Amino acid sequence: MTAVHQARAVLETRAVVGESPLWDAREGVLWWTDIPRGELHRYHPQSGRDTLRAAFPAPLSAVALRAHGGLLLALGDTVAAFRSDAGDTGDTSTTGATEPEPLARFALPSADHRLNDGRCDAQGRFWIGSMSTTGESGTSALHRIEGAGGAAHVTTVLTGVSISNGLDWSPDGTVAYYADSPTREVAVFDCTGPGLHRTGTLARFTDRVPDGLTVDAEGGVWVALFGGHAVHRYLPDGTLDAIVAVPAAKVTSCAFGGADLRTLYITTASRGLSEAELGDQPMAGSLFACEPGIVGVPPHPYAG
């Protein structure tokens, strides 16, 4: 029987497009972004405080940990290293931070393209996809970055992508799950060779769009459903195992966090909703959470 859980709002805010929730055990906080505003947020669960760490002029679509401290950010057409050195003031104003240091800049097809979702694998490499902001089909890609500074090396892994979104790996690293959102499916790839070899489809959707996703310690795949008011958990054989109902339609991503990695954090968006829809969804754009009884996997840091 499919388990059903209810998400609760832990931070009532009106993010335009909340994204990239990332648990940082070093500080006991959850990082998350508001993409079009270029905002990097730091949410502290114990106090319930959310601090705006930085606001950038470019869209901030993804954030990852760095093994040597600090963060990796996907900003517009650039992946950059970033360190926020100021202490937590406990308010919601912007705190002091260093300037991001470019690690890799991408020659995207046009000014109407930008980087989108990204994640590090167990080898400490950062995978980052791109997208067209005007709905152009098949003109984007999925890339992999490794190395530091001027020695960073970029490999293009997949081409012909439209909106590169959720990506994560099975606990043993042999299988990857990936969502190119307009395809309305989560694809399955074999990772035992030098590249990605598609082997099948985990799930298909008709009236909702797969966005960000994460894999738990048991190998279950949690998929945020944009337009679906939910996060779904699928077993590796494609069985729908659990549903997390979210009181906001545009669910964008999810990640496990907390000291025991038992809390599923969920980001949402408010962009594009009419006044009537915003009235029906007063918590659209908020940060949600639930405890579904499953343990997550710590995020891998970037090795460079």
Side-chain angles (χ1 to χ4, degrees):
M1 179 179 293
T2 303
V4 178
H5 309 277
Q6 298 292 327
R8 68 187 186 281
V10 293
L11 178 64
E12 295 187 20
T13 185
R14 184 71 88 191
V16 179
V17 182
E19 256 288 359
S20 197
L22 174 75
W23 181 251
D24 189 344
R26 302 170 301 189
E27 300 187 38
V29 300
L30 184 86
W31 298 99
W32 65 277
T33 77
D34 191 340
I35 295 179
R37 289 174 175 159
E39 293 180 352
L40 174 66
H41 288 258
R42 179 184 184 274
Y43 172 69
H44 187 255
Q46 287 190 331
S47 66
R49 293 170 176 167
D50 182 70
T51 305
L52 176 58
R53 259 328 196 213
F56 302 97
L60 174 55
S61 60
V63 57
L65 304 177
R66 293 188 72 202
H68 304 297
L71 302 170
L72 207 62
L73 307 179
L75 289 162
D77 65 353
T78 302
V79 172
F82 177 78
R83 185 182 294 274
S84 177
D85 295 318
D88 182 14
T89 63
D91 61 26
T92 56
S93 61
T94 305
T95 63
T98 61
E99 289 297 315
E101 176 187 350
L103 186 67
R105 182 169 282 111
F106 294 81
L108 300 178
S110 76
D112 294 324
H113 288 72
R114 65 166 173 81
L115 298 177
N116 199 38
D117 208 352
R119 183 184 296 269
C120 287
D121 63 17
Q123 288 74 47
R125 304 172 298 183
F126 186 56
W127 297 63
I128 182 72
S130 58
M131 62 170 284
S132 163
T133 59
T134 58
E136 195 173 350
S137 178
T139 57
S140 297
L142 175 66
H143 311 276
R144 185 180 66 231
I145 305 173
E146 49 197 314
H153 177 70
V154 177
T155 301
T156 299
V157 182
L158 293 175
T159 58
V161 173
S162 296
I163 300 179
S164 185
N165 254 315
L167 171 69
D168 204 356
W169 293 265
S170 60
D172 64 4
T174 62
V175 175
Y177 301 97
Y178 175 65
D180 178 4
S181 289
T183 67
R184 293 182 180 265
E185 65 180 25
V186 176
V188 182
F189 290 85
D190 177 85
C191 301
T192 56
L196 294 179
H197 173 65
R198 180 160 181 172
T199 59
T201 300
L202 179 74
R204 290 188 176 90
F205 307 92
T206 56
D207 58 348
R208 59 201 73 186
V209 177
D211 203 320
L213 60 83
T214 191
V215 177
D216 62 42
E218 298 177 3
V221 185
W222 300 78
V223 184
L225 297 177
F226 194 84
H229 279 278
V231 175
H232 284 186
R233 181 184 193 251
Y234 293 91
L235 301 181
D237 65 2
T239 300
L240 176 59
D241 179 68
I243 295 172
V244 180
V246 182
K250 296 185 174 183
V251 184
T252 56
S253 194
C254 56
F256 281 91
D260 55 4
L261 292 174
R262 289 184 175 272
T263 300
L264 184 71
Y265 288 101
I266 302 164
T267 52
T268 62
S270 63
R271 185 170 65 184
L273 294 176
S274 67
E275 288 300 320
E277 289 170 325
L278 289 172
D280 291 337
Q281 300 175 50
M283 289 185 288
S286 293
L287 176 67
F288 296 86
C290 76
E291 287 75 32
I294 303 290
V295 178
V297 176
H300 301 295
Y302 183 67

